[in-house]
Amino acid sequence: MGNSYTGHLQSTRFEEVLHNSIEASLRSNTVVPRPVFSQLYLEAEQRPSSHEGRIDEEEDEEDGSDSNSPPIPFQMKPPPEGSCTTDGFCQAGKDLRLSSMATESLEVPPGFLLVGAKSPSVPDHILVCAVDLRFLPDECGRNALLGFSGNCMGCGEKGFRYFTEFANHINLKLTTQPKKQKHLKYHLLRNAQGILVKGPPICWKRIDSRMRHAVGNVAAGPEEQSGHGPSDLLPNSAHTALNTINHTDLNTHLHISEGSPPITNGSHIPGPPQPGIVASGPGRPTVIGSMVNAGPPKKRHKGWSPESSAPTEVTPRPAPNTTTNGTKSADSGASGCLSMGSSLPLGPGESVTVPDHLLQTCGLRPVIFKGHGTLPHLCGNLGDVLVSGLLQKCYRSSQNLPRVYEQYGTAPIQPISTEMLILLTVYYLVQLAPDQAPLMEDLEQIFMRSWRESHLTEIRQYQQTHAQFPPPLPCLAQPLTPSQLPWLAKLATSSCGEGVLVLDTAPSLAEALEDTFHRLVDGRLSHTNYVVIICMNRSQEIESCVVVTGKHQTRALAESLLSPSDCVREIVHELSSGMAAELGSYFSSLGPDGDVEALLEKASPENTSQYSGVEPSGDSPKPKCAEFSVEWHEIRPVQLAVARKLLSHVCAIADSSTQNLDLGSFDKVEFLICVPPSEVTFHQVVLHLWNSGVLRELGLNQDCFSLKEAEQYVVKLNQGAVGKINSLIQKSKMNPYTLFILVHDHAHWDISSGQCSGGDSNIGLVDGLLNCRQIRDAPNILTLHVTSFPFTLQTQYTRISPYNEIHWPSGFNKDVDLYHEKTKYFGVSELLETTRSGSGLPLLRYDSSFESMAAALEDRFPKLHSAVIRTHVLIQHYSLALMATAGGQALQALQKHISVETLEMVQCLLNTSQRCPSHHGHMLLLRIPSPALAAFAHQRLCHVRNRLGLHKQFEIILGDPCSALTVGNHFLDQLRVWLKILDPDWAPRTYLELEALPCILILTGMDPLGESLPRSLKYCDLRVISLWSLQRTTLEQELGLAAYLLKTKQDAQHGPHAPSDLSESDPEKLSSTDNEEEEVVVDVNNDLPRLGNQASPAGSQQPKSDWTPLDPEKQPNQRRQSKSTSSGSSSSRGSPLRQNCSWACNLSRPPVVLLPKAVYDLITTVDSSGLPKSTSFLPHSSVEWASSFRPLLSKMMTCTEQSLYYRQWTVPKPYHMDSSNRAEGRTDNFHPRKLLLSGPPQVGKTGAYLQFLGILSRMLIRLMEVDIYDEEDINCKCETDLMRYHQPVALWPNTDTVRGMPFDYTIHDPKYEDISTVYSPDFTLNSEDGHSRRQEDVYLRRRTARIKLSKYAAYNTYHHCEQCHQYMGFNPQYQLYESTLHAFTFSHLLLGNEIQLYFIIPKSKEHHFAFSQSGGQLESMRLPLSSDWNPDAIKSPIFTPTTGRHEHGLFNLYHAMEGAAHLHILVIKEYEMAVYKKYWPNHIMLVLPTVFNGAGIGAAHFLIKELSHHNLELERSRRVEHGNRPPDVWPFIILADDSCVMWNSVDVNPKSGTTGTERNVSLKQVLQHMESSPDITQYGLCGMRKWSSRGDGAGQHKEPFSRGHLHDFLLLNVDLTQNVQYNQNRFTCDDVDFNLRAHSAGLLICRFNNFSVMKKQIAIGGYGTFIIKTKMTDVPTTIQPSQYICAPDSKHLFLATPAQLLLEKYLQHTSHRLFPLSAQNYSHPVLSVDCYLNLGPEVTVCFVSSRPHSINFSTTGLLFSGLLLYFCDSFVSPGFLKKFQFLKGATLCVICPNRSSLRQTVVRLELEDEWRFRLSDEFQTANAKEDQPLFFLTGKHI
């Protein structure tokens, strides 16, 4: 094509788009081309980049050659003979490589520069050359002379005039034509150390050459340009095109900055900058010298860019469909301008005078955006000009590189240049629509996208390697120079006509501003919206500013710069000063149609009977609507789910190791709910609280019988709240065991810092009250923040942990209804979906007629605030709509003055109540933020309504947060009837109580304060909302007023369902306001049929009334009927419509929302992430973005991810309450007792947190309660006259009396209901109470009772209180208690070898032990003397065997002992040592040997008792050394179960001897009483009964002491029981076995019946948990008890279970078959010698002892049905067995540890004489040989 840059046009989308746009504007006078900027930056599609992987060594094409031409073959000239041909050396043999010459001193002639050449033969090296700078290009790729002049830096030869000759000399060895553009690659520079290094690449490519090529092709059509159409552009990202003007150039590196050492090229002496190079900013010099030429340069010079002429005027473009309006909030008074260069100070004459009467002359107040440089001083009429620093702030933030790049120092990733910022600003202003105001968020995102795309390769390189950045790619980008900026800016504005004007001729900003003001006054800017001023100051630095001159834009910007309070004051001033009087007079006349008041007089009730006679006469009965019901106070399933989530978070705080919340110490919940200062919100929460039942549940309503008294738990956050908060703080100090919940509802309302109040007591009040030190430090106050907009509290300095956030869940998951509710939430995201669904009219829309009228009046009244104008327009529309609807045919002409939307709403309001017998209707919400305007609207509308005689048709209510609701008496009577309220003084205090009342609610206040609206809301008119600051919270809380709960259970009655496309694919993902993206069934077509023809002119004149039929089949006819009756004439009332309540029909339809067009465009515009544009706005005016380099919110973000996003990218401003929460030296400073509940508006958060209070109270009560076994004793005697042995008032037992009492062999403990009964001759089994009950209830859950823990209870590890922290070893002031491990060795005859135990002894408990003085070895455990008495100590050591209950075991006896000193030892298995030590670091532990890891409770009891006896002997020996008598050492220990929780004592009346109430006492009191018993050392065992709520009734005479079995809690005399051991092999019933053997040995066993122990039900762990499994654990099998045994030497499935356990379980389940004569036969028991084994509940066991002098009852005449011999010792002899008689066929069972001892026992006892044996009667437990099975033999009696 004859142009060397054609190929590069294809790689630069910027030029192509620009030239296509220019061409289209030149070729057409009517069609407006698409703006350049919107093509480049506003397209949603993304194009993959094809240049990301290019490297700087890629061969470039030489200037002047065709890009498509093949390479030219070339043969190098042969070198002279004898010359050097080594790569990297010149022909003279001198080294040219940079690595070798870096430190050498080189002589560079003047005018020459050192450059680096690349040779293909040595690609890793750079060759050093000296080249005349005239033949090298400048930083823009221009001004390079053709030809070459260079010197060899190796041998010093000079005067090379041809590059071919020079290439031969330095041995480049090329195969193609040598070209300097290919092989001279880099400038070479010397760094601060004087070392020669590689510099920036030589910029051979030019910008202007491509520009000239593009301009030259403008005349050609787009089809002729390289075959590329609009959709066939460069396959690069949308912003890569701007790389050409954004990269660092040569002079960036040549610039000598003050803060860095100089880098020089050529001579070593740094000098002044070369001619033509001036500074244009920090580190960015620019060559401008060649641009002063008036004409084209000489032929051999390149790079000339012709100055552009004036832009071509074209027809202004129509507005695009999607436009935005408004701007972000910023400091309008920011005076500190950031000068982007080193501008000289302004002279005294450089000030600008604002012309007088500028506003009056031009009808606008221009807005000046500061840009670069210092804005000149303004003087004169300053009231008519606004100055904003928003644009300057945007520039400043966009030039701050992210921190991640700053740490790498100088790198090719540079901030966007000043020239580029200004050019992008021009592009942005050009693409704005005529009615669209600039938005700084958009501009900031544009800057960021441009920066990212221009450095895409470097950023990805950084992300992949984190290494040195590669040098910039010269083929991709070249910088934009200041001289090019005005030309490109004017070129861009050529497509918008006069919309944007660029002024670049003035020498200073002052003169340019003067010129702008003159143009404004002269009217030359009437069609110009923006004036962009660009000039060079005296220091040759760019200065700029933007003057907004469009009427719509200046108004929008001026109002956006006002704070909400300033806006209110401005509106009040305009209304009170009479400024709006002219506007009112304008509305008083309708032109040819007459005067409004006159028309109103014509439509008065005396002149028309339009709506007369609506009310039935008083004599006739009033019909009632059967469909009305109020359901807003019902609790929904999702609210309960959220309440449980809140509870789980509270439990998580309590369970954490930080111990910030001790739930176990609280026994009560109290709360205070803080709400914004709104009367309606206050009473709304009170109403919800009263109806929730929480007050009754918390026990707080003993004195609360009315709503008035319930108000004490809710407080408005005004000055009156100070006293209530202080009272709460004082109550929290006085009641440390009460948990106070402080609920902060609507938490985003006031987040101002209390430190910035500035004397205003209301500012920062919330911060001062809720974040004060007293609440922060109180351990029993938990704060719950509740809000629909959590991002106001989610900043970098937030006080709330992300783990303490609770987000409202989605009701659907993959179209599955999770909560099965009657209602479905329809929120903002669902409203937005209706605008995209395409089925029928959207529920969210704007009123174009209203917008047109408001815009025209805004131009006519420039001094008035737009809210004043729009409110007057709205009032006029409603007034005329009421007149047109109620005024009959005479006022039909008024419809042309009314918008269709307004007329439709008024007709619906008037007509729908007539369809219901009870006159139920709809609510129309009219949102007017200004209280003054709202009061004016209320007054005017009431006047019109009353003049029309409609005062009984609908109510007009002014909803002011500062005042209560006022409703007329007529409507009060209606509401009382509907709500069934009998109180004649009742009046509604909330909007919810206005359900079904036909009314217009004028809701005022600058922000909604959490008021909920009734479900009768039909229309939500937001057409006059003021958007003084575009923030996400401001927008979404206004839209949240329309959030709605749809009724779904009657959906089937309202026609077929429309395709439900109102939900996103993933219900858990983020939406515009909330994470509720439920699929809501809404028939949009059936919902709004009356607006189907609105687009046509006829439809706009004949709006449809609300006569929507329920039957879709009749809809066409019905539509025609409603059309004919839309005027509201009397014939409409007589139409044959069936009476149906429109209110009930509307419950399944969400309200219609009307928005200002600017807001509608804003929220319906979707950004690149797929979310509405408003989501990318600043969350709140009190926060700011941490960086401009932030990503956008993603549609795929969950609420948790959204929270983390705001926590990372937002910081609070100084007046935010969290600004003082900066953590010192920490990454966070979260308050541990703060929670945040977030959910979409109107979704039911109040009901959720009220339910949370209720279930939290229940949980605390549950924590204070435990399940106690509550069972009656079994096997009780039936005799009523029992012999009395002790007096009922006896405190202690008498040893002689106890010795004379019979021993009760029968077991009464209900936990042993399913074991064998012990035979007793004086006991007769009651068959009705015995086996029959067991048959039914043996497998049922044991009976328990819920008992509240007393202050004397034992606790598990979850209990934390201040009193027992040190006892537990968790005192946060100290480290965990140190413990030492001590070995203790002793031997026992039954154990064989010596056994070694381990004690873990904390340092704090070492005083309980004696250690050797030499080596510190453990010698013994210290025991007191029997004569010792200490009222604050317990003498008996307490041993608690435990397994699997390190968390749930009740080992905390601090409260049970009342803090008394005691010795408590946990007996644990070796493999559980670490976990027990972790949870109980301050407890002494006795670790059982390894061999007992699989043993049962018998082994633990055996070792405890024998070790204690051994220790008793050691203590006696130690005491003898100190002079004491051996018997004086205290011989008792306590064996306690790990589930004993509380102890009780029965009070006995000393006079009557009757028992009184049973009360809870401390364990200390019980033990001290038992230990102080007279002759206590004569007792072998002492214990107490198990508690039962029915066992011992009050008023009974009972025996205070008894002699029988003891369980669970024993006082054991280890001295007297020396010869009676626990069976170490036993797993079950070892206490029954020990009790029987102890009694037979003659020991006294005494049970204190006035004491009882409560046992807690613990479902985890314990010695009762047995797992019987096979050795092949990977084979799951169900093992029957019959498989527990097998024949010896047989193939059988072996079990990995101890043999003793298998034997006991086998006998328990199968003994009724093993002993068939014993089943159900109490009179013929099985004789068990020296042991008790459980043979199942159907078999009775008779225990006898073979020991000499043992106590056995007489068995004379008793026939036994079986004989059980278990491990018989030598005391069992043939003679002993012959004393007993057996039934014929009785069964014998002999059990021995092995087969040999089994045979020896049979022979020794001569059993074959009376018993018959078979070979098949020998069995073993199902254990492998190495597991030592047990063997037993059965036989039959002969």
Side-chain angles (χ1 to χ4, degrees), residues 1262-1270 1341-1347 1349 1353-1359 1445 1447-1451 1537-1543 1586-1587 1608 1653-1661:
R1262 179 72 176 83
L1263 288 177
M1264 299 299 297
E1265 293 178 345
V1266 290
D1267 289 320
I1268 304 295
Y1269 288 114
D1270 183 15
R1341 182 177 180 268
R1342 295 176 60 185
R1343 180 186 176 91
T1344 59
R1346 301 282 305 156
I1347 304 295
L1349 291 174
Y1355 292 97
N1356 56 24
T1357 188
Y1358 295 110
H1359 173 76
R1445 290 180 176 171
E1447 294 182 83
H1448 300 277
L1450 305 178
F1451 310 132
D1537 193 83
D1538 59 1
S1539 60
C1540 298
V1541 61
M1542 286 183 289
W1543 293 261
K1586 182 175 290 187
W1587 174 85
D1608 302 323
V1653 59
M1654 289 180 164
K1655 289 197 63 181
K1656 176 184 176 182
Q1657 183 187 45
I1658 303 178
I1660 299 174

Side-chain angles (χ1 to χ4, degrees), residues 1373-1400:
Q1373 299 179 358
Y1374 308 98
Q1375 295 181 349
L1376 290 179
Y1377 282 79
E1378 297 181 3
S1379 302
T1380 53
L1381 188 67
H1382 297 273
F1384 190 81
T1385 305
F1386 80 103
S1387 59
H1388 192 275
L1389 181 63
L1390 295 178
L1391 295 175
N1393 300 328
E1394 285 188 346
I1395 193 167
Q1396 190 175 50
L1397 304 172
Y1398 290 96
F1399 278 94
I1400 300 176

Side-chain angles (χ1 to χ4, degrees), residues 627 915 922 1054 1110 1140-1149:
E627 301 183 59
R915 299 171 52 189
H922 299 305
H1054 297 286
L1110 296 184
N1140 200 340
C1141 183
S1142 178
W1143 169 86
C1145 302
N1146 197 63
L1147 293 180
S1148 58
R1149 298 167 183 170

Side-chain angles (χ1 to χ4, degrees), residues 35-38 42 316-320 322-327 369 424-440 442-443 446 495-496 499-500 529-530 546 548 552-553 557 1173:
V36 178
F37 182 85
S38 63
L42 300 184
R317 298 175 295 108
T322 303
T323 59
T324 59
N325 188 8
T327 183
F369 281 117
L424 289 175
T425 304
V426 174
Y427 289 152
Y428 172 65
L429 298 177
V430 165
Q431 62 87 37
L432 290 176
D435 61 344
Q436 194 174 356
L439 202 59
M440 291 303 153
D442 285 346
L443 196 56
I446 289 163
S495 64
C496 69
V500 181
N529 295 330
Y530 309 97
V546 176
V548 184
H552 177 79
Q553 289 79 4
L557 291 172
K1173 195 174 184 177

